[in-house]
Amino acid sequence: MEIQTVGIVGAGQMGNGIAHVMSLAGYDVMLNDISDDALSRAMEAMRANMSRQVGRGKIAEDDMEAALARIKTTTTLTDLGSSDLIIEAATERETVKQAIFEDLLPALKPETILTSNTSSISITRLASRTDRPEKFMGFHFMNPVPVMQLVELIRGIATDEPTFNACREVVARLNKTAASAEDFPAFIVNRILMPMINEAVYTLYEGVGSVESIDSSMKLGANHPMGPLELADFIGLDTCLAIMNVLHDGLADTKYRPCPLLTKYVEAGWLGRKSKRGFYDYRGDVPVPTR
């Protein structure tokens, strides 16, 4: 099927980033969240991000205005039912995602493709709770969506070829690159990235190095653009912990055990940039290491 309309569940950082790139690519977008305030913030963020692209000569101002006009917002989840493709980008909790799909099902067209932007949760398990496991797959964008070029496409055990091909065509229209991943915990990117971040937290926990020395070592010694602890703060420590728990539970290997210090930071509400404190304190003009 040819996809023209896209419904997006969740207007947070990932959801508004997906709406941003979809609308610029010419898709009509319906963006859903539980509050009007969240939707207003998302529209403001998209306008600000697109304005930066205009300022850098990446897009024309007319393209920005046309893209923003293609985005409609709603607090009623079932308004997304007429979409050709739905991308769920809610919080990384399986029970929340399952509830969203269950509420959507009665409103869907028979041909609607369901996808999840999950970074780690089983696509097969999510699909099994719907009426269309063959039309369900993982559609995992990287953060920040307008900048990052990769999209992981994850087939569940029942995903059919037309569904996969339709989603791959969407990725191509976005001028991004699709990587096909099998449905195992955390897929490709986070299967490799999160244990590295977790090991950096262990290195801090065991006193091998400070926040500053660990991040400097990986930036200057391994040529990483961001240190692992700085990157963890950017991603969100709660998200990092959730993915490590999925890996640990799903693969039953002690090498994926979340570091106790990561758990402690999350329990304290120090989640990184979004809460102004994580491995760095962001409440001043310059981030300051917290350890």
Side-chain angles (χ1 to χ4, degrees):
M1 65 179 289
E2 186 178 355
I3 291 168
Q4 298 293 342
T5 55
V6 179
I8 299 168
V9 184
Q13 190 171 26
M14 294 304 294
N16 77 57
I18 296 166
H20 174 141
V21 298
M22 289 288 180
S23 63
L24 276 175
Y27 293 104
D28 291 321
V29 173
M30 180 70 77
L31 179 62
N32 162 263
D33 207 291
I34 57 175
S35 77
D36 286 318
D37 284 348
L39 292 168
S40 296
R41 288 194 300 270
M43 293 304 298
E44 289 168 10
M46 284 185 279
R47 180 171 284 279
N49 291 335
M50 287 187 197
S51 294
R52 277 195 287 273
Q53 288 179 300
V54 171
R56 293 173 185 156
K58 302 281 188 186
I59 61 173
E61 189 158 358
D62 287 349
D63 293 336
M64 176 183 80
E65 295 299 339
L68 290 169
R70 281 191 283 271
I71 302 170
K72 303 290 184 281
T73 61
T74 180
T75 55
T76 304
L77 182 62
T78 51
D79 286 349
L80 274 57
S82 61
S83 304
D84 299 327
L85 168 68
I86 291 177
I87 302 171
E88 170 275 312
T91 188
E92 190 71 356
R93 293 216 311 273
E94 188 165 348
T95 52
V96 172
K97 294 178 186 297
Q98 286 175 345
I100 287 167
F101 290 123
E102 285 169 10
D103 289 346
L104 271 171
L105 291 180
L108 298 180
K109 301 186 297 183
E111 64 271 23
T112 297
I113 292 173
L114 288 177
T115 68
S116 176
N117 183 58
T118 179
S119 53
S120 61
I121 296 167
S122 167
I123 298 302
T124 297
R125 200 162 59 236
L126 288 174
S128 72
R129 300 289 292 270
T130 74
D131 64 353
R132 61 196 67 206
E134 73 286 347
K135 290 186 175 298
F136 193 110
M137 65 182 298
F139 209 136
H140 181 215
F141 289 84
M142 305 295 124
N143 186 28
V145 179
V147 175
M148 302 296 279
Q149 289 300 301
L150 184 74
V151 180
E152 283 182 316
L153 293 180
I154 306 103
R155 286 182 176 94
I157 197 168
T159 306
D160 64 24
E161 202 64 22
T163 297
F164 177 80
N165 289 336
C167 289
R168 186 168 56 185
E169 285 170 15
V170 171
V171 176
R173 185 162 155 183
L174 298 177
N175 290 318
K176 294 187 182 293
T177 299
S180 179
E182 293 300 314
D183 184 25
F184 290 100
F187 319 131
I188 296 172
V189 173
N190 284 319
R191 172 76 178 263
I192 297 167
L193 175 63
M194 285 302 157
M196 184 197 76
I197 288 174
N198 195 51
E199 194 62 27
V201 183
Y202 267 114
T203 305
L204 179 66
Y205 175 63
E206 293 168 4
V208 179
S210 66
V211 168
E212 191 171 18
S213 63
I214 291 165
D215 278 352
S216 295
S217 294
M218 294 308 292
K219 284 192 283 189
L220 301 178
N223 208 27
H224 290 191
M226 261 185 177
L229 301 175
E230 182 187 3
L231 179 57
D233 276 357
F234 179 77
I235 293 166
L237 304 192
D238 52 340
T239 300
C240 295
L241 179 60
I243 295 169
M244 286 309 302
N245 280 325
V246 166
L247 280 165
H248 191 231
D249 295 344
L251 297 171
D253 192 324
T254 55
K255 73 179 180 180
Y256 298 116
R257 182 171 68 96
C259 179
L261 184 61
L262 178 60
T263 302
K264 183 181 286 189
Y265 269 67
V266 172
E267 288 174 344
W270 290 21
L271 308 181
R273 284 183 176 270
K274 61 187 172 186
S275 65
K276 303 295 185 186
R277 277 194 288 189
F279 293 113
Y280 292 85
D281 188 326
Y282 299 93
R283 293 173 296 174
D285 294 334
V286 177
V288 178
T290 55
R291 228 171 168 80

